[in-house]
Amino acid sequence: MRSRIEKNRVVIMIKMHLFSIASLILVFWFGGCSDQDILTTPWNMHVIDNTSFGSDGTKVYDVNNDGYEDIVCGWEQGHVARLYLNPQQKGVWRFIEMPAPDVEDAIMVDLDGDGSMDMVTFSEGEHRRIAIHWAPRGEVYEEADLWKTEDIPCTIDVTQWMFGQPMDVDNKNGIDLIVVGKNEGAIVGWLESPEDPRDIGAWKLHTIAPASWVMSVEILDINRDGRPDVLVSDRNDQTNGVKWFQHPGFQEEELETIWNEHLIGMREMDPMFLDVKIDANGLLEIWVPNLHEKIFQFVQLDAAGLDWKTESIPFPEQAGTVGKSAATGDIDGDGKMDLVTTYDGAENRAGVVWSHFNESTGDWQHHDVSGPLGNKYDFSYLLDMDRDGDLDILTSEENNNSSTVAGLGVIWYENPLINLE
């Protein structure tokens, strides 16, 4: 296994070097790097890790409170989850590896309140369970052998688990977990933390609503009633759409009632990974691509979260054929919101694209970030990875779920645009 991984890594590195040489030739041919060259040339890619299979989405946390973003990623076909510790621009990212067969997602949260962030993994495939990887405290945090992995019994074989988010649902004991799945038995639900979170058999699973294939879950107080609500994008079948579930109240009898469901849009349109921002008035703006056609924008118009404006734009022509994610931020430093989208079906096409709205022409202009490398990208984060004052793009690429040929792995693209006028 190790030799195969190293062979795949060598192949990827050769491709990256050839791609870099081609980019340098373009710069030389055009006599330097003008603003137009920057807008038309793919960004420089940096690899954090490409030594396993199926890097299936990244999440960002500061687990050691050093002011630098750490990264957690599940490797679905590699059957592990890795927590990468930010080297603070000092070189290689060290990682802590946990066993996680068929893992789809991993999050970090201090579930037992001991001051150390634990890892929670969500497994689909044949493994079908949610596991807590309890972290040790203090200076031994990086010693993987001191972590303890336990499956939550009430989640085993219920469904193929996709994602989760921490949330204090019942206002008692510790942090609970909002959990979502796909296919048979899929639900939007919540895991109730017992008085002692380490009592793994005492966790209880509650159903909020049936689901089909949940792609995103976010926790926000959408109607501003002081209680956190659950925002999801769900694809396939009868439950399809972008929607939110209204927290019924913290009393036990309230939590046993139905969480009211409010549809935002995209019924029968297969919404994928969404991005959500809160404006100065506390209202939401949501961006989300569907599977094959458009990128949708939803703007909240009322404090109750019942009235939304909907607009959409077509996929960029140069992009992959399957939509995956959207993220928003000021990419080019002009003080205005830009859009970053990622794609599947991106072999020899752009898997990562950034777009800005041209007010003079009244349309969106799209720019290739990733170049032709890669095939299946996951969701993206916009953050200043190199601390040079602009937003870079963190993402992962898994080579279409291959368990034999490694993808690009956990990667980030360096923003060259901050100096544009």
Side-chain angles (χ1 to χ4, degrees):
M1 174 64 74
R2 176 60 59 184
S3 61
R4 185 174 65 185
I5 290 174
E6 291 302 324
K7 181 179 179 181
N8 287 326
R9 187 172 188 176
V10 169
V11 171
I12 290 171
M13 292 303 294
I14 291 173
K15 289 181 178 180
M16 288 170 56
H17 284 308
L18 290 174
F19 183 69
S20 298
I21 291 170
S23 298
L24 288 172
I25 291 172
L26 284 173
V27 171
F28 175 78
W29 181 263
F30 285 105
C33 194
S34 68
D35 287 356
Q36 188 59 38
D37 295 333
I38 290 175
L39 289 171
T40 57
T41 302
W43 295 10
N44 187 25
M45 182 180 76
H46 300 270
V47 177
I48 292 173
D49 184 21
N50 60 7
T51 62
S52 190
F53 300 98
S55 53
D56 212 4
T58 56
K59 294 285 197 317
V60 176
Y61 306 88
D62 182 2
V63 299
N64 49 13
N65 297 311
D66 64 355
Y68 287 80
E69 297 89 355
D70 308 302
I71 299 166
V72 65
C73 178
W75 294 79
E76 184 174 0
Q77 282 69 42
H79 304 298
V80 296
R82 291 174 175 172
L83 170 62
Y84 300 92
L85 301 175
N86 196 310
Q88 303 180 19
Q89 302 180 350
K90 297 176 183 177
V92 176
W93 291 66
R94 306 184 311 280
F95 62 77
I96 304 166
E97 181 178 282
M98 293 292 108
D102 299 328
V103 60
E104 175 65 24
D105 193 43
I107 63 173
M108 303 300 299
V109 54
D110 183 5
L111 287 175
D112 56 3
D114 68 351
S116 291
M117 294 191 76
D118 310 299
M119 183 189 296
V120 183
T121 53
F122 303 82
S123 292
E124 51 166 338
E126 299 298 321
H127 200 57
R128 294 164 52 101
R129 67 198 63 197
I130 300 171
I132 302 175
H133 310 267
W134 302 104
R137 298 182 63 182
E139 296 180 357
V140 295
Y141 189 78
E142 295 186 39
E143 297 185 25
D145 291 344
L146 299 182
W147 290 59
K148 180 181 180 181
T149 296
E150 293 185 304
D151 299 330
I152 302 177
C154 63
T155 68
I156 296 174
D157 288 332
V158 172
T159 188
Q160 296 185 60
W161 295 106
M162 290 289 289
F163 303 104
Q165 291 281 7
M167 172 177 167
D168 188 355
V169 178
D170 54 7
N171 208 21
K172 66 178 183 181
N173 297 332
I175 298 295
D176 309 298
L177 294 169
I178 298 295
V179 295
V180 297
K182 76 172 187 179
N183 296 336
E184 183 180 0
I187 61 169
V188 177
W190 67 284
L191 279 167
E192 179 184 351
S193 174
E195 184 175 357
D196 176 10
R198 288 271 192 160
D199 184 0
I200 199 71
W203 285 78
K204 297 179 181 178
L205 179 63
H206 305 269
T207 297
I208 293 174
S212 298
W213 187 341
V214 181
M215 299 297 292
S216 295
V217 55
E218 299 289 344
I219 310 302
L220 306 128
D221 183 3
I222 296 176
N223 58 354
R224 293 187 285 182
D225 63 356
R227 299 190 294 262
D229 307 303
V230 178
L231 171 69
V232 303
S233 58
D234 190 6
R235 56 185 279 206
N236 291 6
D237 301 329
Q238 300 301 314
T239 63
N240 207 304
V242 176
K243 52 196 175 178
W244 64 280
F245 297 94
Q246 183 176 338
H247 194 295
F250 291 111
Q251 298 302 315
E252 185 174 348
E253 59 272 19
E254 293 175 314
L255 287 169
E256 291 176 354
T257 64
I258 296 175
W259 294 46
N260 289 331
E261 176 185 327
H262 304 286
L263 179 68
I264 295 173
M266 297 183 74
R267 181 68 82 195
E268 300 181 357
M269 291 188 186
D270 285 337
M272 302 296 281
F273 300 124
L274 61 78
D275 174 77
V276 58
K277 294 290 189 297
I278 304 175
D279 70 15
N281 298 313
L283 302 177
L284 305 188
E285 178 180 329
I286 300 169
W287 287 85
V288 54
N290 69 355
L291 198 60
H292 288 301
E293 185 180 12
K294 296 180 180 179
I295 307 157
F296 287 80
Q297 178 196 35
F298 301 99
V299 178
Q300 184 180 354
L301 299 178
D302 68 327
L306 304 179
D307 189 13
W308 299 79
K309 180 179 73 173
T310 304
E311 295 184 357
S312 66
I313 60 176
F315 283 0
E317 291 184 2
Q318 68 267 49
T321 57
V322 178
K324 289 302 293 289
S325 78
T328 55
D330 183 7
I331 291 293
D332 54 7
D334 65 355
K336 299 175 183 177
M337 188 279 295
D338 302 304
L339 176 66
V340 171
T341 47
T342 63
Y343 298 87
D344 189 1
E347 187 174 8
N348 296 319
R349 301 178 67 86
V352 183
V353 176
W354 82 275
S355 309
H356 73 279
F357 187 73
N358 189 321
E359 294 182 352
S360 62
T361 61
D363 61 5
W364 287 85
Q365 296 184 349
H366 308 290
H367 311 284
D368 184 357
V369 170
S370 62
L373 293 179
N375 183 16
K376 184 178 182 182
Y377 288 81
D378 216 274
F379 40 77
S380 58
Y381 278 89
L382 308 187
L383 65 165
D384 188 0
M385 293 291 293
D386 51 7
R387 304 222 164 186
D388 65 351
D390 55 20
L391 291 176
D392 307 300
I393 300 172
L394 170 69
T395 187
S396 61
E397 194 279 325
E398 58 179 308
N399 193 29
N400 202 25
N401 301 339
S402 174
S403 59
T404 58
V405 180
L408 299 178
V410 180
I411 53 180
W412 66 277
Y413 292 95
E414 184 177 349
N415 188 342
L417 301 168
I418 194 65
N419 294 322
L420 287 180
E421 296 295 335

